[in-house]
Amino acid sequence: QKAEWDKLKDEQTITADGKHIELAANIGTPKDLVGVKNNGGEAVGLYRTEFLYMDSPDFPSEEDQFKAYKEVLEGMEGKAVVVRTMDIGGDKELPYLTLPHEMNPFLGYRAIRICLAQPDMFRTQLRALLRASVFGQLRIMFPMIATLQEFRQAKGMLLEEKAKLVSEGVEVSENIEVGIMIEIPAAAVIADKFAKEVDFFSIGTNDLIQYTMAADRMNERVSYLYQPYNPSILRLIKNVIDASHKEGKWTGMCGEMAGDQTAVPLLVGLGLDEFSMSASSILKTRSLMKRLDTKQMAELADKAINECDTADEVVELVQTYTK
Ligand code: PEP
Ligand code: MG
């Protein structure tokens, strides 16, 4: 099987009926690019920049960040790179950033919430990204967006930093896409409104499932509620994809579910445009997608959403379709 997968390394991902789907990789540092190359990644769908902060004794400087972003963009040789702005908080801490002790860190001061409240830190990251943008195809993504105001505020800061750089004579790309993670149910529900203002969505199922099911993703006692195939989750995903397509935008997924071999047929059926996963899952997913027919998978997804009552029923249904 491994040998069969290796042959797919330099191929694009095309379904049995000829639809191209972008198969991208999640990375945490520029060093991970080797794995992306070795596994035939068509893009970087999630660069988790918080590791840059976590691996540093103090806030990484604009210059240090610029170097890391440039290295990734250049390394991908023109292929798209989705860089997610800092997602600290929740379970991720920084020794040099004192965060308040909270009863519910996953519901608290985290990611874009910190960035909007402490804009100096955020603006440094945005400037580094903008400066690096000329070295490849950059897509900037904001995490943990719950409201349109948050998105507008974050994008406003990005545009302000861009204007400042341009007035300083620094070159900035004109083709940067700006999108958001869909990982809070509130955003998934009004995806139609977000779709008018963003360039793309990427669904973060690790958090979307945790917040939808009210089940801490780190707590084993409630892990039985962590149900990617629950019809409620599938309906949210469908709502997001459909909303983006209505506005001519695209939707990707960068949570673990994107590389889950039971979920892939459903997601292909729902029309997901981009799948981002750990590099080691790319080739087997490409192999699976080559065997899937999008019309048949659309029928499967439709049945899962409308006729199945439970996650278990969905799994059974997928098995009958992919035998
Ligand atoms: C997610 O929430 O699905 C995601 C990709 O982000 P993280 O796992 O870093 O929270
Ligand atoms: Mg997340």
Side-chain angles (χ1 to χ4, degrees):
Q1 228 177 5
K2 179 91 172 50
E4 186 232 328
W5 293 345
D6 275 345
K7 278 193 233 134
L8 303 175
K9 228 193 240 180
D10 302 315
E11 283 187 23
Q12 288 202 316
T13 312
I14 313 281
T15 62
D17 55 324
K19 183 187 175 195
H20 176 239
I21 293 175
E22 191 168 81
L23 263 196
N26 294 350
I27 65 168
T29 86
K31 291 194 200 86
D32 296 337
L33 285 184
V34 186
V36 181
K37 292 267 160 74
N38 288 340
N39 291 284
E42 293 170 66
V44 169
L46 171 64
Y47 174 10
R48 288 183 163 103
T49 59
E50 51 275 9
F51 292 105
L52 204 64
Y53 292 74
M54 289 158 75
D55 295 344
S56 168
D58 201 344
F59 285 111
S61 66
E62 180 182 319
E63 205 52 36
D64 286 347
Q65 294 192 53
F66 167 73
K67 279 192 199 133
Y69 305 149
K70 174 171 181 269
E71 188 179 342
V72 173
L73 285 161
E74 280 186 338
M76 286 305 289
E77 300 170 42
K79 291 179 180 147
V81 176
V82 178
V83 182
R84 174 174 79 183
T85 59
M86 191 209 77
D87 182 7
I88 291 296
D91 59 325
K92 297 177 205 129
E93 291 175 8
L94 289 183
Y96 50 86
L97 176 69
T98 336
L99 294 174
H101 179 75
E102 297 184 329
M103 298 270 283
N104 293 297
F106 273 120
L107 300 181
Y109 195 49
R110 178 180 172 192
I112 199 71
R113 302 168 181 186
I114 298 180
C115 288
L116 295 178
Q118 299 183 221
D120 289 351
M121 180 175 81
F122 189 43
R123 286 179 188 271
T124 301
Q125 180 169 40
L126 295 177
R127 284 176 67 91
L129 282 169
L130 288 162
R131 285 173 53 205
S133 66
V134 292
F135 295 97
Q137 194 190 329
L138 175 63
R139 296 168 171 168
I140 296 177
M141 175 160 79
F142 302 127
M144 290 292 292
I145 294 283
T147 70
L148 266 161
Q149 287 93 326
E150 286 173 330
F151 172 68
R152 289 175 186 155
Q153 215 183 327
K155 188 171 174 189
M157 287 187 195
L158 179 68
L159 295 180
E160 279 167 21
E161 292 309 319
K162 182 179 170 197
K164 274 191 238 167
L165 284 169
V166 170
S167 74
E168 290 163 24
V170 178
E171 230 193 304
V172 175
S173 167
E174 284 304 324
N175 302 311
I176 307 171
E177 288 183 52
V178 183
I180 62 169
M181 289 200 61
I182 296 280
E183 50 188 345
I184 297 182
V189 170
I190 56 165
D192 57 331
K193 298 182 190 292
F194 278 102
K196 293 185 170 42
E197 302 191 27
V198 305
D199 294 321
F200 68 91
F201 293 133
S202 185
I203 304 176
T205 48
N206 307 342
D207 280 311
L208 185 63
I209 297 168
Q210 136 166 289
Y211 294 130
T212 304
M213 306 299 289
D216 185 337
R217 64 193 254 194
M218 318 292 283
N219 185 337
E220 278 178 26
R221 278 194 209 97
V222 294
S223 63
Y224 73 97
L225 284 169
Y226 204 84
Q227 300 182 356
Y229 324 115
N230 190 292
S232 64
I233 302 295
L234 299 177
R235 284 188 187 182
L236 281 179
I237 293 170
K238 176 178 164 52
N239 190 54
V240 173
I241 296 171
D242 289 352
S244 70
H245 290 173
K246 267 200 192 111
E247 296 296 331
K249 312 290 170 67
W250 60 272
T251 295
M253 179 177 287
C254 57
E256 287 301 312
M257 189 176 176
D260 173 330
Q261 305 295 292
T262 302
V264 165
L266 292 162
L267 298 170
V268 167
L270 292 173
L272 190 72
D273 303 287
E274 178 240 34
F275 292 61
S276 193
M277 59 194 70
S278 64
S280 58
S281 296
I282 289 176
L283 291 173
K284 71 172 170 210
T285 305
R286 180 168 297 153
S287 163
L288 170 61
M289 283 181 179
K290 275 171 70 97
R291 286 176 273 132
L292 301 179
D293 176 275
T294 56
K295 285 213 188 67
Q296 239 180 322
M297 293 308 118
E299 190 187 291
L300 161 69
D302 190 66
K303 277 203 180 134
I305 278 181
N306 295 308
E307 293 172 23
C308 293
D309 298 332
T310 65
D312 289 345
E313 282 179 35
V314 172
V315 174
E316 251 177 70
L317 181 72
V318 173
Q319 280 162 357
T320 62
Y321 264 76
T322 51
K323 262 217 184 97

